[in-house]
Amino acid sequence: MNLDDVYNWILNHKNNYPGKHQESQPRTLQSYKPLEAKAQFHIVIRATAEYIKEKMLNGNGVNLKEFGAFTMEIISDYVKPLQHSGFKMTEDLDIQRADRKHVHKIRPCFIPDNQFKYFLQRYPGKEEVSKPQSQHSIYQKGFGMNFCNAGPIAASCYLGKDVVQSIHYSLVKAIQDLTRLGHDLHIDFGFIKISVVNKDLKYKYEQSFINRLNQTDYELKMRKSDMATSQHWRATSEEKWSKSTLNNLLTRPNPTQVQENYEKSMALKIMSLDLNTAEQTNYSKNQKVKLPALNK
């Protein structure tokens, strides 16, 4: 079963997966018309995949509640001490980072949640990520972990935040139920493919995505922001949102053109209604119309 089959399973079992995702919900922007229930699943999960991908490319992991964590492991080879590494104080720092770039490698991984592990018989190593000593929370599965925030995803889809949360919850619950029932699942998020065959979980990241992770130095990826500290705190959320890939997921329509098309469609409906309800008469055939004489 792929994602489309999972959507059909959820919509066909309304009693097991109740919520706002079962019906078409209004959009936050009036220019967009409401979508069907299945189309809402497609657009929200696509936006969720873009959200996770963007966070990972910025050096952060994402934990999707009760499903798993999308994170990365930094593998570093042996590094010589400073006095033996030929460190030059006069050399530019970017050049030195490029010299030792081959030392650090990033390996993306997926760690299933404990509730999801309960329904699995086999999955990749229990401790794929070496947890740093500074992280004391049991929910931290890697470096710079964030929970999957439904706010940016809802803003990119022009849907309510509660609708996105309902879709996330029902999708994770359906994946757990289908795994428990012994169904084979093939979940494709675009940049990662997760498969559950005979309750054996395997995943594979796209090679192009791995190459993008390793294009720049990991020290640059782990930074909170590319801007200076003073600029980072002065920047508004609108400026940060404009740089996000989620902002360009759906193009905003021209409101003037949308209003004109709406008025034209309403005028056509009124005209068709008048033609359908008009009574057929023979008044024009029986009545003699006297036309004015033409002046020659």
Side-chain angles (χ1 to χ4, degrees), residues 44-106:
V44 169
I45 299 305
R46 179 190 171 191
T48 304
E50 290 292 331
Y51 172 82
I52 298 173
K53 181 179 178 181
E54 179 182 350
K55 289 294 183 181
M56 293 188 68
L57 290 175
N58 291 333
N60 298 322
V62 179
N63 192 342
L64 187 58
K65 187 178 180 182
E66 298 184 3
F67 181 65
F70 302 84
T71 182
M72 62 195 73
E73 175 74 0
I74 301 176
I75 304 173
S76 299
D77 296 335
Y78 175 73
V79 181
K80 294 181 180 181
L82 180 61
Q83 60 270 22
H84 301 293
S85 61
F87 184 80
K88 299 178 182 179
M89 297 296 295
T90 58
E91 193 173 11
D92 189 19
L93 183 59
D94 294 335
I95 299 177
Q96 299 179 44
R97 282 175 173 170
D99 291 339
R100 67 175 188 270
K101 181 180 177 181
H102 65 281
V103 177
H104 307 288
K105 297 180 181 178
I106 297 178

Side-chain angles (χ1 to χ4, degrees), residues 57 206-216 221:
L57 290 175
E206 292 292 335
Q207 188 61 39
S208 59
F209 177 74
I210 299 176
N211 295 336
R212 290 185 63 183
L213 283 177
N214 291 282
Q215 279 180 356
T216 57
K221 291 180 177 296

Side-chain angles (χ1 to χ4, degrees), residues 130-249:
S130 57
K131 183 179 178 181
Q133 297 296 330
S134 60
Q135 297 179 358
H136 303 285
S137 174
I138 60 175
Y139 299 103
Q140 290 290 123
K141 302 295 183 180
F143 294 89
M145 290 297 300
N146 299 322
F147 279 99
C148 188
N149 188 1
I153 300 174
S156 63
C157 300
Y158 302 108
L159 288 169
K161 183 179 178 180
D162 50 352
V163 179
V164 176
Q165 292 175 343
S166 179
I167 290 177
H168 285 173
Y169 176 78
S170 62
L171 178 65
V172 174
K173 186 70 167 54
I175 291 175
Q176 294 179 0
D177 293 343
L178 292 172
T179 303
R180 176 175 56 84
L181 295 173
H183 292 273
D184 295 340
L185 302 176
H186 300 280
I187 305 170
D188 187 2
F189 286 114
F191 67 100
I192 180 177
K193 295 180 180 179
I194 303 173
S195 62
V196 180
V197 181
N198 294 328
K199 298 185 178 181
D200 181 12
L201 185 142
K202 296 181 180 180
Y203 66 88
K204 182 179 180 181
Y205 281 87
E206 292 292 335
Q207 188 61 39
S208 59
F209 177 74
I210 299 176
N211 295 336
R212 290 185 63 183
L213 283 177
N214 291 282
Q215 279 180 356
T216 57
D217 191 6
Y218 88 103
E219 296 179 6
L220 300 178
K221 291 180 177 296
M222 293 303 172
R223 295 186 308 183
K224 294 296 182 183
S225 175
D226 293 334
M227 298 182 294
T229 305
S230 57
Q231 297 178 359
H232 175 75
W233 294 111
R234 292 177 182 175
T236 61
S237 58
E238 184 178 357
E239 295 176 354
K240 297 178 181 179
W241 171 252
S242 62
K243 300 179 181 179
S244 175
T245 56
L246 286 174
N247 188 30
N248 300 325
L249 186 63

